[in-house]
Amino acid sequence: MTQCRSSGLTDRQWCIENGISVSTFYYHVRALRKKACEVPEATDTIMQKQEVVQIPLWGTEPPPS
C-alpha cells in the first residue's frame, strides 16, 4: 500500500501497472485498517514482573548499607 500511495498514481492505475486486481488491493487495505484499529489483548499479569533498580546519579559515594 505504501508503494501505491507514494507512486503518484491513482490506486486503480497502480494496480493495473502491477498486475493486481483493484478489488484485491482494497480487500487488503480494509484488512490492514481493521487490524490497525484492534485493541491488543491484555497480557497475563502473573507473567509481568516489575523490578526497581537504584541508579546512582551524582558523585562516587558508595551507596548506604
Side-chain angles (χ1 to χ4, degrees):
M1 188 167 112
T2 305
Q3 293 174 352
C4 174
R5 299 293 191 236
S6 64
S7 71
L9 300 172
T10 65
D11 293 347
R12 185 176 188 283
Q13 290 171 327
W14 186 86
C15 287
I16 291 169
E17 287 190 11
N18 288 278
I20 299 170
S21 162
V22 176
S23 61
T24 300
F25 175 79
Y26 283 117
Y27 168 81
H28 288 286
V29 169
R30 280 190 306 276
L32 286 170
R33 286 182 179 158
K34 183 178 179 182
K35 186 162 182 78
C37 291
E38 290 178 0
V39 176
E41 291 184 27
T43 57
D44 188 1
T45 55
I46 295 172
M47 298 296 290
Q48 294 179 0
K49 179 181 176 186
Q50 186 174 13
E51 187 175 332
V52 177
V53 179
Q54 183 179 9
I55 301 173
L57 298 177
W58 293 277
T60 56
E61 297 176 20
S65 300

